[in-house]
Amino acid sequence: AMLMPANAESIKLGYSAPFLTDPFQAIMANQTLKAVKDAGMEAMPATNANGDAGKQATDIRNLISAGAKVLIVNPTDSQAIVPVLEFAASKNVPTVLIDIAPAKGKSAMIVRADNKGIGGKACEALGAAIGGKGKVLSLMGDQATTNGRDRTTGFNECMKAKYPDVTIIEQPTYWKTDKATSAAQTVVTTTPDLTAIYMQSDSVMLAGVLNVLKSAGKLTKVGEPNHIFLATVDGTPYALEKIREDLLDVAVAQPLDLYAKFGAFYAKAAAEGKTFTAGPTDHNSEIVPVGDNLMDYLPATVVTKANASDPSLWGNQTEK
Amino acid sequence: MTNISLEKAAIARPGQSLFARFRLRELVLIPVIAVVIVIGSFVSSSFLMPENLLNILQQSSELSILVIAQSLILICGKFDLSLESTVGIAPMFAAWLMISDVSIGGSGIGISGYAGIAVVLATGLLIGLINGLLVVKLRLNAFITTLAMLILLRGITLGITNGQTLFDLPEEFLYLGNAKWLGIPASIWIAGLLFLFFGLMMRYHRIGRAIYAIGGNPEAARVAGIPVERITLGVFIMGSLLASLAGLLLTGRIASVVSSQGQNMIFYVFAASVIGGISLNGGQGRIIGALTGVLLLGLLQNVLTLSQVAAFWIDACYGAIILLALIITRLSGETPRA
Amino acid sequence: MTNISLEKAAIARPGQSLFARFRLRELVLIPVIAVVIVIGSFVSSSFLMPENLLNILQQSSELSILVIAQSLILICGKFDLSLESTVGIAPMFAAWLMISDVSIGGSGIGISGYAGIAVVLATGLLIGLINGLLVVKLRLNAFITTLAMLILLRGITLGITNGQTLFDLPEEFLYLGNAKWLGIPASIWIAGLLFLFFGLMMRYHRIGRAIYAIGGNPEAARVAGIPVERITLGVFIMGSLLASLAGLLLTGRIASVVSSQGQNMIFYVFAASVIGGISLNGGQGRIIGALTGVLLLGLLQNVLTLSQVAAFWIDACYGAIILLALIITRLSGETPRA
Amino acid sequence: MSAVETFAAEAHGINKRFGPIEVLHDVGISIPVGDARALVGRNGAGKSTLVGLLTGLYGANAGEIRLGGRPAPSLGDRQGWRERVACVYQRWMVIPHLTVAENLFLNNQPRNGLGLVDSRRLREESIAVLDDWGLDVAPDLDAWRLTVEQRQIVEIARALLQGSRFIILDEPTAELERREVNRLFERIRGLQEQGVTFLYISHHLEEIYEICRTVTVMRDGRVVADARLDDLPKDRLVAAMVGDFAASGAGRKSGDSASKAQMAPGLDIGGLTLKDSLEDINLSVHCGECVGLAGLAGSGKDKIAEAVAGLLAPDAGTIAIHGTKTPLGDVGAMRAAGVGYVARDRHVSGLFPLMSIGDNLTTTVLPKLGPFGFVSTGRQSDMVDRQIAELGIVATSGSQPIGELSGGNQQKAMVGRALASDPKVLVLAAPTQGVDIASKDALYRIINAARDRGMAVLVVSDDLDELAICDRVEVIFRGRLTRSFARGWNDQDVVAAIEGLY
Ligand SMILES: Nc1ncnc2c1ncn2[C@@H]1O[C@H](COP(=O)(O)OP(=O)(O)OP(=O)(O)O)[C@@H](O)[C@H]1O
Ligand SMILES: Nc1ncnc2c1ncn2[C@@H]1O[C@H](COP(=O)(O)OP(=O)(O)OP(=O)(O)O)[C@@H](O)[C@H]1O
Ligand SMILES: [Mg+2]
Ligand SMILES: [Mg+2]
């Protein structure tokens, strides 16, 4: 079905970001656009929805009317993106979604890691390390975002099932450093028997939490007695460095590099009219059907001191 | 009085000159808008395509309804920051009532789509009533009252659904935000008709004139027999009602209600109203001016998306152009509105 | 004029009673604060621990410096919404200059930590100067100008670093936000001294009195020979300078600069100032009142964090209590401040 | 005449408090239909407060108000009040950003068949009204552009347009020219003939004798006299107003000591020129001399005052204080050079309404009240207490917000502020507007004393009472000084000169 190679004129690709004030999103936007260019497509400037689902719908319509032939979308919300996907489909513009799966609607491919699974992995690493009991501070992201909710649900469900004796102290932080830091400070100083902290984003929370522990005199190295176990999500370069320094126990690294790489790959393929089938891939993942769509379910890696220097982690790739 | 002297008076009177009339505050933005359009057509060949222009209008429709709401309230000499949270909470509450599946965040009640629309508007009405009573009866400061209300309503929106997005809403509920009438999105028609209606009302109906009088000098308005409290209350209610309608349209457009719906919109509502000439001190400005403000922001947003400006710098450009528009409207010979 | 009639007049009139003196606007929040403290001590045994109380003060310190800044500006009859973005951009720009590693978002210049602090303050000063000039010289409306400035500065913050968080800042740069002096965090000392300084200045120094006069009636102030423009400009500069200092302290506390730093803080700045009795109309309110406003919000935040209120409902509680505090202060016999 | 006399307005047993302060004590007034009643009393006696109660601006704490024989409507029923009483308030009640026409027909606009405002008829009817009052402004001019006088006429015209059978006028003439006052009186007489009832407040007692039949006198929040004016000669009326205080010279009071002008230069204005307003003004006031500057509204007299105060920079000319030239258009420099100034419009350019009387009195002298710019509260309150006593300001204490004072007492504080810095040159624009007859006397005494201490005083006014304390009167007409009158002039000549009739 490749009678018309689309490279007669280069393929224009639009990238819609949900917001850019989170470093994770910012890096993903940059890396994806780079991968798009590497794949020989023409990247239009990314759009920034500033966390507003309505704005994202606007952005995508604008990208399409500006001539985008294919879209990579990182949705602000799995539901609110549905009519936008329908609109794109009606204009014959294929879409690849990364990081978040849509609730419905047609897309060429979904590239994501399982955020509930990420929460679960953090829970398992953490639960085992503290011996299934104690008090855990859970610094939640913005619960109005799908990822924030999934990381909460995955963590809480796993805790309930596997470590029912653990007490969870939940604090909403809205992906805001100052809120996370203040909540951590209050809880750390008022809970002498705190055993662990779960952070839903190391790019937003880790620096502040380490600082809180330090000023409270509770910052100890991994393995020392009374060490407060720290688990984070994202796996930013900073987090990997702190793991190497024995200050952070576990980071569940998102496959950000793979999001970028395969987002671009599938986008190009979709623009060229290719279709995909379910089954294992060449990159250690599996394409699974979800509803009418296919999803390349990328693995999230649990990073500890043992593998913190692994060059395949995205956090080890940004430095050049 | 004879007609003769009338004519004489009309000639002799040193009134506002024709020149001054042409420099109406409301027209100040027109050249700016023209420049943006010209730039837009250079930036992207698709800019002037009818489809894109309809995009702009549709995308601006919710903002513009909020701008009408805020303009009424500002002209009346008050503020309503909570409009943005009404955009979220009114459809959220209705959606919660409509969804019968508790597991996806619904209430389990499952009211119909039409009842849902009624709930949206009723919620708006109630919020407006509460704001209005606090401001009019308790004589609380409107700015700070509605700021507290904003925080409260945002919190309730989050609380109702634990942050979940509500979807699978009835067709009827989504209709207005989706439908096209005569090939043009319904929301454009609605926004347009509202502009026409409120534009005429504020200019030619005595309630409109009364709102200007209240905003200009509430005590004088009271003395002139204008029921200041009743009208102010009415304006708050109308404002929230319009905000809930905007929320309904937005919900139709994204086929779901997100708990962050409306967030940060209030900044742009103020920006559009004020560069459109609505004074923050009350009693001044016109609905048509506010319309030019909305159009400018909508065009800008569109042109910036189509342009080659990097995403990270788009917000900065946006801010810079708003500031510029303010300076231009100021330098174009307007008396400052303190 | 004979003294007889004067004395009669003086006697005939009831003086300001002791009662009235005790109902100072500044003390209205004290009972509310007391109630929150009592509730807090029931909610959690650790609430009254000195450590936790220090937490509250430390966490409120940045907000309180912003509240001082906004209070000065409000008393002067102006607004500055862009304070919140100054909290972000000033340390962000300095951090960008300090970080020599381009790959992690730095500029590659690598200035020292001390130079970084100077850059923070200089950036604040510059922003205040620009705001001030726009408002004073171009006579733009302060609310809308600083709103545009807020959007612009937020945009620039995002643009400078492409959304990245900047880490690994020099020790000296983080010092103030981290250090303890005599066992008490430096930021508490700093905020406390600033309250003392500005409290006294506004009450007893002629510049403070001039700021009240300008806020109360700028034209009369001009006629009375007060250099209205110079002082207003100075107030804007001082406000931004304080905001940049708050940004520096916040950066020290979180050991990094995030591109969303300060976002939405302005809502709480206004809430604290106004429930603390600073009028949005200028010329009224006291710095000590603003302090009680900050303390109330800080206590609330802490009690809600310690309480068992479900995370999703915390915001709603917060909003409800602010609204309640407004109503209480109003009902406690205060004359409304329109 | 029916057996039961009907009253346009009645108030019985009225008590009114503002916060803890009771300003009206058991006040009663009954105004029969067709009466022309004067309400007089010293500043702060409670006249405007009573007006506020009679027009439903606020409610009484005790007592009953009846209008046209029926109980007054509820406070919220604005239309009900409006139907029964029209009022020109002491405070301005115009809507600044609506046009003159809309202000005239506020909430009363002519409407077309659709119920919408008929702008063409609105314009035409407004022009008719404006011409009727001889007011040469366009109906579509924004009201904030009006001069003080024009604004006052618009308010009066609006009140009379309302078609009410009971009209209250609270110091309507305080801002008006003689010609306009005459026009107002003609109109009032016309309406009186049609049986319209009036309640009229003024500190100009001759006006009261001119158009009122009866009088109610208030003192310290009480009604102390009700009488027919025919039975109450002016000296007794004044005595009733001021109580045991014996008024020395009822209003018109010339400087008791002859001028001791020292011939040392105080204020020297040379060649002052301002485009479209002033032409080559030369005027000097010696130390110890008081000079009056008289002229019509728009004649430019206020411009001269503003130039001396440093509020506007003239196109050409010099201003010297004690022989030293000063920089023009710089308020701070003028203050420093020793100019004290009372602006014509205290609401716009004088008062800080929310600040205390003390802060208002000491605005310009704060640097003298403590080291390094800090204000010693002790020294401040000493100074304030002394000034309150000297000026006879009626207030609960120096810390009362000045906005709560009656108009006349606010005006006294404005004069007090100008004197506080002990200036070399004192410029006073309409310094006693709204001030009651006895307090006026006190103010004149204070001004005279200042002059005798060697101050050069310039009184900018067209009020003959105010000019009477001057050693010399200069008249300005259309931006040019036209005549100069030495002490002993007769009123007709000055008035003629002011009007431009030589
Ligand atoms: N809003 C208010 N709050 C407190 N006190 C007030 C208020 N309004 C008026 N007063 C006080 O009431 C008293 C009566 O004032 P009012 O204005 O009625 O006097 P007046 O007779 O009209 O004086 P004038 O001739 O100067 O206009 C004054 O002492 C004044 O200070
Ligand atoms: N800001 C303005 N805009 C438009 N017209 C104005 C403005 N200020 C004053 N005028 C007009 O200019 C004319 C002169 O008024 P001005 O205030 O200069 O008179 P004046 O010399 O001060 O006289 P007065 O003795 O009445 O104070 C008036 O007709 C007034 O309507
Ligand atoms: Mg009065
Ligand atoms: Mg004038």
Side-chain angles (χ1 to χ4, degrees):
Chain A
M2 285 175 46
L3 297 172
M4 266 286 284
N7 57 6
E9 50 186 310
S10 73
I11 302 162
K12 252 180 137 175
L13 177 138
Y15 178 83
S16 166
F19 45 91
L20 290 173
T21 42
D22 177 339
F24 182 84
Q25 296 295 346
I27 295 170
M28 183 142 82
N30 285 334
Q31 293 224 355
T32 308
L33 290 185
K34 195 168 151 290
V36 164
K37 282 175 199 143
D38 290 347
M41 290 181 280
E42 182 193 338
M44 300 165 69
T47 59
N48 172 8
N50 270 325
D52 177 349
K55 170 87 165 49
Q56 188 164 40
T58 302
D59 286 343
I60 290 173
R61 278 169 178 264
N62 286 343
L63 286 172
I64 291 174
S65 57
K69 292 288 171 264
V70 59
L71 296 170
I72 296 180
V73 178
N74 183 348
T76 50
D77 187 275
S78 57
Q79 304 296 341
I81 202 68
V82 174
V84 190
L85 293 181
E86 281 162 6
F87 176 78
S90 76
K91 298 281 170 193
N92 289 321
V93 177
T95 42
V96 171
L97 285 98
I98 54 179
D99 199 17
I100 289 175
K104 278 193 307 201
K106 185 67 195 147
S107 65
M109 180 59 82
I110 302 158
V111 183
R112 72 179 296 241
D114 177 9
N115 275 285
K116 272 192 188 166
I118 285 175
K121 280 181 177 168
C123 152
E124 278 165 21
L126 190 150
I130 63 173
K133 58 184 190 307
K135 287 186 183 165
V136 177
L137 167 63
S138 166
L139 293 174
M140 302 148 71
D142 189 346
Q143 298 304 292
T145 63
T146 311
N147 282 348
R149 273 197 311 274
D150 284 354
R151 289 176 200 179
T152 304
T153 322
F155 184 80
N156 290 357
E157 282 175 358
C158 154
M159 276 288 168
K160 212 166 155 190
K162 296 192 178 162
Y163 307 106
D165 294 338
V166 172
T167 315
I168 304 175
I169 305 168
E170 289 192 324
Q171 290 297 332
T173 73
Y174 304 92
W175 307 128
K176 289 274 160 61
T177 305
D178 54 337
K179 287 216 185 228
T181 310
S182 296
Q185 187 182 33
T186 303
V187 174
V188 164
T189 50
T190 57
T191 318
D193 51 346
L194 189 73
T195 42
I197 302 177
Y198 166 48
M199 290 163 250
Q200 288 189 1
S201 165
D202 51 44
S203 55
V204 184
M205 304 168 182
L206 183 59
V209 168
L210 289 177
N211 207 32
V212 164
L213 291 172
K214 194 170 130 202
S215 19
K218 293 186 173 180
L219 186 65
T220 50
K221 295 224 163 181
V222 173
E224 285 179 15
N226 294 331
H227 172 67
I228 294 180
F229 188 92
L230 303 177
T232 69
V233 178
D234 280 353
T236 53
Y238 180 74
L240 300 185
E241 189 187 314
K242 295 299 151 189
I243 291 181
R244 288 191 287 268
E245 287 173 14
D246 274 335
L247 291 174
L248 173 63
D249 296 76
V250 170
V252 185
Q254 291 215 70
L256 184 145
D257 52 330
L258 302 182
Y259 287 166
K261 185 170 158 198
F262 290 104
F265 169 79
Y266 290 120
K268 187 170 185 196
E272 287 165 350
K274 288 183 195 151
T275 52
F276 316 100
T277 49
T281 64
D282 58 351
H283 50 272
N284 194 20
S285 69
E286 179 143 355
I287 296 184
V288 295
V290 279
D292 300 337
N293 292 321
L294 293 173
M295 173 159 75
D296 188 349
Y297 226 168
L298 297 169
T301 320
V302 177
V303 184
T304 59
K305 180 118 196 228
N307 60 346
S309 299
D310 185 341
S312 72
L313 294 172
W314 72 269
N316 286 330
Q317 292 169 354
T318 46
E319 289 168 66
K320 259 171 268 155
Chain B
M1 167 129 282
T2 66
N3 281 333
I4 299 158
S5 80
L6 275 178
E7 270 157 57
K8 195 195 70 197
I11 294 163
R13 239 160 251 280
Q16 265 149 329
S17 67
L18 200 67
F19 179 63
R21 286 193 166 278
F22 263 107
R23 291 216 298 189
L24 261 183
R25 180 65 180 74
E26 283 55 51
L27 302 181
V28 166
L29 281 187
I30 303 275
V32 184
I33 289 179
V35 170
V36 173
I37 290 179
V38 170
I39 292 174
S41 61
F42 278 104
V43 159
S44 162
S45 54
S46 41
F47 176 75
L48 287 177
M49 279 164 48
E51 227 172 306
N52 189 50
L53 297 178
L54 282 184
N55 268 352
I56 297 176
L57 291 181
Q58 187 181 9
Q59 289 149 14
S60 307
S61 62
E62 298 120 20
L63 182 68
S64 63
I65 294 175
L66 286 177
V67 167
I68 296 176
Q70 191 71 271
S71 298
L72 297 182
I73 296 170
L74 286 176
I75 292 174
C76 191
K78 300 291 178 191
F79 272 86
D80 190 353
L81 302 181
S82 69
L83 291 180
E84 73 158 42
S85 52
T86 305
V87 170
I89 198 171
M92 183 60 96
F93 183 56
W96 180 72
L97 289 175
M98 284 185 293
I99 295 174
S100 46
D101 184 346
V102 184
S103 73
I104 58 167
S107 60
I109 299 176
I111 62 172
S112 76
Y114 295 110
I117 293 178
V119 169
V120 169
L121 299 178
T123 309
L125 195 141
L126 184 71
I127 294 170
L129 184 69
I130 295 174
N131 279 334
L133 288 176
L134 288 173
V135 170
V136 169
K137 294 292 174 195
L138 281 187
R139 290 194 285 158
L140 291 173
N141 175 283
F143 183 90
I144 195 69
T145 306
T146 57
L147 172 54
M149 205 63 168
L150 165 85
I151 297 172
L152 173 63
L153 294 179
R154 260 192 203 171
I156 296 177
T157 311
L158 196 62
I160 294 177
T161 58
N162 289 0
Q164 291 195 54
T165 299
L166 301 184
F167 53 97
D168 270 341
L169 305 171
E171 270 306 307
E172 313 89 71
F173 191 76
L174 302 180
Y175 176 76
L176 283 181
N178 269 322
K180 289 198 175 187
W181 297 338
L182 307 180
I184 292 174
S187 53
I188 299 182
W189 286 107
I190 294 175
L193 288 175
L194 287 173
F195 265 110
L196 196 68
F197 176 78
F198 284 103
L200 291 176
M201 186 200 86
M202 290 304 284
R203 200 141 170 64
Y204 296 111
H205 196 276
R206 57 200 291 258
I207 292 190
R209 303 320 296 168
I211 294 175
Y212 277 99
I214 294 172
N217 184 348
E219 196 173 24
R222 217 165 85 80
V223 164
I226 293 170
V228 175
E229 301 205 337
R230 194 135 35 91
I231 289 184
T232 308
L233 191 62
V235 165
F236 268 104
I237 292 176
M238 183 51 78
S240 284
L241 209 55
L242 287 171
S244 65
L245 177 64
L248 183 67
L249 295 183
L250 181 58
T251 302
R253 191 153 68 84
I254 62 176
S256 51
V257 201
V258 275
S259 58
S260 64
Q261 193 156 304
Q263 219 160 291
N264 274 334
M265 249 180 153
I266 201 72
F267 288 126
Y268 300 97
V269 172
F270 272 105
S273 313
V274 175
I275 60 176
I278 307 288
S279 160
L280 295 170
N281 295 331
Q284 280 168 282
R286 294 211 198 142
I287 300 292
I288 174 123
L291 175 61
T292 63
V294 176
L295 286 181
L296 178 62
L297 293 198
L299 284 167
L300 262 184
Q301 191 84 62
N302 188 268
V303 171
L304 284 172
T305 311
L306 298 183
S307 73
Q308 294 303 306
V309 178
F312 293 103
W313 285 103
I314 284 188
D315 281 0
C317 289
Y318 199 62
I321 296 173
I322 295 176
L323 201 53
L324 214 67
L326 280 175
I327 294 175
I328 290 174
T329 52
R330 169 68 191 87
L331 291 187
S332 66
E334 251 317 286
T335 51
R337 296 179 167 177
Chain C
M1 164 130 280
T2 67
N3 282 330
I4 301 156
S5 73
L6 284 173
E7 269 156 62
K8 201 189 67 195
I11 293 162
R13 250 153 235 285
Q16 219 167 352
S17 68
L18 204 65
F19 177 63
R21 289 197 166 275
F22 262 107
R23 290 217 297 188
L24 263 182
R25 179 67 180 75
E26 282 55 51
L27 302 181
V28 165
L29 281 186
I30 303 277
V32 184
I33 288 178
V35 171
V36 173
I37 290 178
V38 170
I39 293 174
S41 61
F42 278 105
V43 159
S44 163
S45 55
S46 37
F47 174 75
L48 286 178
M49 279 164 46
E51 244 167 286
N52 188 50
L53 297 179
L54 284 184
N55 276 349
I56 298 176
L57 292 181
Q58 190 183 3
Q59 287 159 18
S60 307
S61 61
E62 299 114 20
L63 182 67
S64 62
I65 293 175
L66 286 176
V67 166
I68 295 175
Q70 191 71 272
S71 298
L72 297 182
I73 296 170
L74 286 175
I75 292 174
C76 191
K78 301 291 176 190
F79 272 86
D80 191 353
L81 303 181
S82 69
L83 290 180
E84 73 159 41
S85 50
T86 304
V87 170
I89 198 171
M92 183 59 97
F93 183 55
W96 181 71
L97 288 176
M98 283 185 294
I99 295 176
S100 46
D101 185 346
V102 183
S103 73
I104 58 169
S107 60
I109 299 177
I111 62 170
S112 76
Y114 294 111
I117 294 178
V119 169
V120 169
L121 300 178
T123 309
L125 195 142
L126 184 71
I127 294 169
L129 184 69
I130 295 174
N131 280 334
L133 287 177
L134 287 173
V135 170
V136 169
K137 294 293 173 196
L138 282 187
R139 291 195 284 158
L140 291 172
N141 175 284
F143 183 89
I144 195 68
T145 306
T146 57
L147 172 55
M149 205 63 170
L150 165 88
I151 297 173
L152 173 63
L153 294 180
R154 263 192 201 172
I156 295 178
T157 310
L158 189 62
I160 294 177
T161 56
N162 287 0
Q164 295 202 47
T165 299
L166 301 183
F167 302 105
D168 278 337
L169 306 171
E171 272 304 308
E172 312 90 70
F173 191 75
L174 303 179
Y175 176 77
L176 283 180
N178 270 322
K180 291 198 177 188
W181 296 338
L182 308 179
I184 293 175
S187 52
I188 299 182
W189 285 109
I190 294 173
L193 287 175
L194 287 173
F195 265 110
L196 196 69
F197 175 78
F198 284 103
L200 291 178
M201 188 200 84
M202 290 304 283
R203 201 143 168 62
Y204 296 110
H205 196 273
R206 67 196 178 96
I207 293 188
R209 307 313 302 166
I211 294 174
Y212 277 100
I214 294 172
N217 184 348
E219 178 59 21
R222 191 172 83 90
V223 172
I226 293 170
V228 175
E229 301 204 336
R230 194 136 34 92
I231 289 184
T232 308
L233 191 62
V235 166
F236 269 104
I237 291 176
M238 182 52 77
S240 284
L241 209 55
L242 287 171
S244 66
L245 176 65
L248 183 68
L249 295 182
L250 182 58
T251 303
R253 188 155 70 83
I254 64 180
S256 52
V257 204
V258 274
S259 56
S260 64
Q261 188 156 307
Q263 220 162 292
N264 276 335
M265 247 180 154
I266 201 71
F267 289 127
Y268 300 95
V269 172
F270 272 106
S273 313
V274 175
I275 59 176
I278 308 289
S279 160
L280 295 170
N281 295 332
Q284 275 169 292
R286 294 213 199 140
I287 299 293
I288 173 119
L291 175 62
T292 63
V294 175
L295 286 181
L296 178 62
L297 293 197
L299 284 166
L300 264 182
Q301 191 81 61
N302 188 267
V303 171
L304 287 171
T305 307
L306 293 179
S307 74
Q308 296 305 307
V309 177
F312 292 109
W313 286 101
I314 285 186
D315 277 5
C317 290
Y318 198 62
I321 297 172
I322 294 176
L323 201 53
L324 215 66
L326 280 175
I327 296 174
I328 291 174
T329 52
R330 169 70 192 84
L331 292 186
S332 65
E334 251 319 285
T335 50
R337 297 178 169 178
Chain D
M1 186 122 188
S2 62
V4 186
E5 194 174 15
T6 53
F7 292 100
E10 293 162 274
H12 303 292
I14 299 287
N15 277 8
K16 175 67 190 168
R17 265 181 278 121
F18 288 112
I21 308 160
E22 188 170 288
V23 296
L24 294 186
H25 325 275
D26 191 24
V27 167
I29 187 170
S30 300
I31 307 168
V33 168
D35 196 4
R37 173 74 57 94
L39 181 60
V40 298
R42 297 190 53 186
N43 297 129
K47 305 179 295 294
S48 298
T49 306
L50 181 59
V51 170
L53 292 164
L54 287 175
T55 57
L57 216 50
Y58 28 69
N61 296 96
E64 192 202 10
I65 291 174
R66 298 171 69 84
L67 290 173
R70 286 173 294 155
S74 72
L75 280 189
D77 179 13
R78 289 311 314 165
Q79 204 59 37
W81 284 96
R82 197 179 135 88
E83 278 157 15
R84 296 203 240 161
V85 54
C87 182
V88 174
Y89 292 91
Q90 193 171 14
R91 254 170 310 161
W92 286 341
M93 294 289 185
V94 297
I95 317 273
H97 288 277
L98 290 185
T99 62
V100 170
E102 287 210 73
N103 270 289
L104 280 172
F105 289 90
L106 195 59
N107 199 30
N108 192 22
Q109 305 95 334
R111 273 177 278 163
N112 61 22
L114 295 169
L116 297 178
V117 174
D118 186 337
S119 14
R120 201 178 58 88
R121 257 178 61 211
L122 177 64
R123 190 183 149 82
E124 284 171 4
E125 289 180 19
S126 306
I127 290 177
V129 173
L130 292 172
D131 282 352
D132 214 16
W133 282 92
L135 203 53
D136 186 28
V137 296
D140 47 13
L141 194 72
D142 280 352
W144 62 268
R145 290 180 184 268
L146 297 177
T147 61
V148 180
E149 305 85 3
Q150 291 168 336
R151 203 175 330 199
Q152 188 67 31
I153 294 174
V154 166
E155 294 212 41
I156 295 170
R158 173 171 67 197
L160 300 190
L161 268 176
Q162 209 178 297
S164 184
R165 307 290 300 160
F166 175 40
I167 297 172
I168 303 179
L169 303 164
D170 192 351
E171 298 192 36
T173 55
E175 324 271 14
L176 295 189
E177 303 270 328
R178 244 166 308 279
R179 207 178 343 190
E180 287 151 349
V181 172
N182 288 337
R183 215 187 293 254
L184 171 65
F185 284 1
E186 268 167 40
R187 205 139 319 216
I188 290 179
R189 281 194 203 96
L191 287 167
Q192 281 173 350
E193 278 158 24
Q194 296 165 29
V196 171
T197 315
F198 279 88
L199 179 63
Y200 187 89
I201 300 172
S202 177
H203 290 293
H204 299 282
L205 299 183
E206 64 284 357
E207 292 179 5
I208 282 166
Y209 282 95
E210 198 176 337
I211 55 163
C212 293
R213 244 171 278 157
T214 58
V215 64
T216 297
V217 182
M218 291 186 74
R219 191 167 74 225
D220 293 335
R222 291 193 169 78
V223 171
V224 292
D226 259 316
R228 292 179 55 81
L229 278 166
D230 296 345
D231 306 338
L232 195 67
K234 198 161 167 184
D235 53 341
R236 281 185 54 208
L237 177 60
V238 171
M241 282 167 62
V242 301
D244 47 9
F245 167 65
S248 45
R252 191 73 184 270
K253 179 83 180 84
S254 48
D256 26 31
S257 53
S259 168
K260 299 189 217 72
Q262 295 151 16
M263 283 319 189
L267 169 68
D268 268 304
I269 300 173
L272 202 66
T273 300
L274 183 68
K275 192 168 164 288
D276 297 336
S277 293
L278 299 175
E279 255 185 77
D280 191 28
I281 303 289
N282 293 291
L283 178 66
S284 58
V285 184
H286 299 295
C287 291
E289 190 187 23
C290 176
V291 172
L293 180 62
L296 293 174
S299 61
K301 64 180 189 300
D302 284 344
K303 294 274 187 294
I304 296 177
E306 285 171 15
V308 176
L311 290 166
L312 57 83
D315 300 320
T318 56
I319 296 172
I321 308 295
H322 281 203
T324 314
K325 278 192 190 155
T326 51
L328 299 173
D330 179 343
V331 190
M334 284 301 185
R335 297 259 159 218
V339 175
Y341 175 61
V342 172
R344 171 180 284 265
D345 184 343
R346 66 170 175 270
H347 292 286
V348 175
S349 318
L351 292 173
F352 303 108
L354 300 169
M355 294 175 80
S356 68
I357 299 169
D359 282 334
N360 270 280
L361 282 167
T362 55
T363 318
T364 53
V365 291
L366 290 179
K368 295 186 190 163
L369 292 174
F372 310 115
F374 281 93
V375 179
S376 146
T377 39
R379 270 158 81 179
Q380 187 185 20
S381 61
D382 287 351
M383 178 170 191
V384 168
D385 290 345
R386 204 173 54 238
Q387 278 185 293
I388 288 180
E390 271 172 17
L391 297 158
I393 294 172
V394 183
T396 56
S397 81
S399 58
Q400 190 181 9
I402 201 163
E404 292 176 3
L405 294 191
S406 75
N409 284 304
Q410 291 174 345
Q411 186 62 29
K412 293 179 208 165
M414 294 298 96
V415 176
R417 180 194 293 167
L419 284 168
S421 56
D422 202 13
K424 295 174 185 156
V425 171
L426 193 56
V427 180
L428 307 165
T432 62
Q433 53 172 314
V435 171
D436 72 57
I437 197 161
S439 302
K440 244 183 203 173
D441 232 41
L443 279 184
Y444 293 152
R445 217 178 291 248
I446 289 167
I447 294 168
N448 281 334
R451 180 200 61 185
D452 293 345
R453 283 201 306 274
M455 247 176 244
V457 181
L458 181 67
V459 175
V460 181
S461 173
D462 55 4
D463 181 306
L464 292 174
D465 287 348
E466 285 177 354
L467 295 176
I469 64 166
C470 299
D471 301 312
R472 169 159 67 91
V473 171
E474 300 283 343
V475 175
I476 180 169
F477 185 74
R478 294 205 177 139
R480 259 185 267 198
L481 288 181
T482 50
R483 294 282 301 270
S484 176
F485 296 89
R487 187 176 279 287
W489 67 82
N490 88 35
D491 288 358
Q492 275 72 36
D493 293 345
V494 175
V495 170
I498 289 175
E499 304 268 346
L501 317 163
Y502 292 75

